[in-house]
Amino acid sequence: MNLEELMLNVDQQIVINAPVAAVFEGMLKRLAEENVRPDGVPMPMVLERRPGGRWYRDLGENSGHLWGFVQVIKAPHILEICGPLFMSYPVSGHLQIRLEEIPEGTRVSLRHRALGQIEEAHREGVTQGWEHYLNAIKTDSEA
């Protein structure tokens, strides 16, 4: 296995016709209580909005999945999360979402990087998954 096969690097951007503060709040809700999978199935998460805060799926009765920890949060411009995210195997991941106010509204830049033995299904689905997430934020924010 070569180094390239161990790496994941996803870069996506979208422009949303809404103020940066509203987009940031919508982004946080979509990562948490309003999270929905690309197939339309709700998958609520918990995002503790502070450095060191957890991002996880709470299944009740002390069961769930830890996706990561908040590394950086500076409202309304940046959120960084480090952890395996949706990958339940040895992998180190980093998610960075930056929001920039521009004349057209807000530019949202998402970068997901990971290193490990990434399963092919995750490698194939991650781009579509993040695209779904960004489009949902756009729909919510522009409504």
Side-chain angles (χ1 to χ4, degrees), residues 28-45:
L28 295 176
K29 285 181 181 177
R30 275 289 172 171
L31 283 173
E33 63 270 12
E34 295 179 10
N35 189 35
V36 177
R37 296 183 339 197
D39 62 5
V41 175
M43 193 175 80
M45 305 278 286

Side-chain angles (χ1 to χ4, degrees), residues 11-84:
D11 281 302
Q12 295 181 356
Q13 289 189 3
I14 194 167
V15 173
I16 299 173
N17 186 15
V20 68
V23 175
F24 190 81
E25 184 61 30
M27 173 194 79
L28 295 176
K29 285 181 181 177
R30 275 289 172 171
L31 283 173
E33 63 270 12
E34 295 179 10
N35 189 35
V36 177
R37 296 183 339 197
D39 62 5
V41 175
M43 193 175 80
M45 305 278 286
V46 176
L47 177 63
E48 298 171 340
R49 299 178 181 196
R50 65 181 190 288
R54 298 168 298 166
W55 184 35
Y56 65 99
R57 185 162 183 214
D58 185 357
L59 300 175
E61 299 182 26
N62 293 318
S63 295
H65 306 273
L66 176 67
W67 281 35
F69 295 96
V70 175
Q71 185 171 352
V72 177
I73 184 166
K74 293 181 182 177
H77 295 288
I78 189 165
L79 175 69
E80 294 183 16
I81 296 175
C82 58

